[in-house]
Amino acid sequence: TEHIEHLSADLQMNLVEWISKNLNTDGLFLGSMPHHDDPKNPCPYHIKTRSHDEWNSILNQYFTDVQVYKFDDESYWWTAKKK
């Protein structure tokens, strides 16, 4: 997914749960998210960004073999497999 930060927290959780239920057994959930927006200059299009640790914790509730990688100073990406 490339747009999850544009969803509310509730919709993010609904999406993650839906993906976890519908991902093929050998499938891989791959996505990215920007780091928290700068409070002095937030992106008006980002509804909910999450920290690396917060997103890692959420993904581990629904998936196995979760890997969250820092992409650059502005974003990170993840891979996760179906439980």
Side-chain angles (χ1 to χ4, degrees), residues 3-22:
H3 302 287
I4 201 161
E5 67 275 7
H6 299 275
L7 302 174
S8 68
D10 288 343
L11 286 176
Q12 286 179 5
M13 296 307 292
N14 290 344
L15 177 63
V16 168
E17 183 176 2
W18 184 88
I19 291 170
S20 73
K21 290 178 179 178
N22 291 283

Side-chain angles (χ1 to χ4, degrees), residues 5 32-38 46 49-50 52 69-77:
E5 67 275 7
S32 67
M33 183 180 287
H35 292 285
H36 283 285
D37 284 333
D38 180 352
H46 292 169
T49 57
R50 297 178 186 268
H52 174 283
Y69 305 94
K70 182 178 178 181
F71 181 69
D72 55 26
D73 289 338
E74 296 181 7
S75 62
Y76 56 91
W77 60 278

Side-chain angles (χ1 to χ4, degrees), residues 54-68:
E54 184 179 14
W55 197 243
N56 188 48
S57 176
I58 290 168
L59 291 173
N60 273 291
Q61 293 175 40
Y62 294 92
F63 300 94
T64 188
D65 197 22
V66 173
Q67 302 292 321
V68 182

Side-chain angles (χ1 to χ4, degrees), residues 3 25 39 83:
H3 302 287
T25 303
K83 275 192 175 182

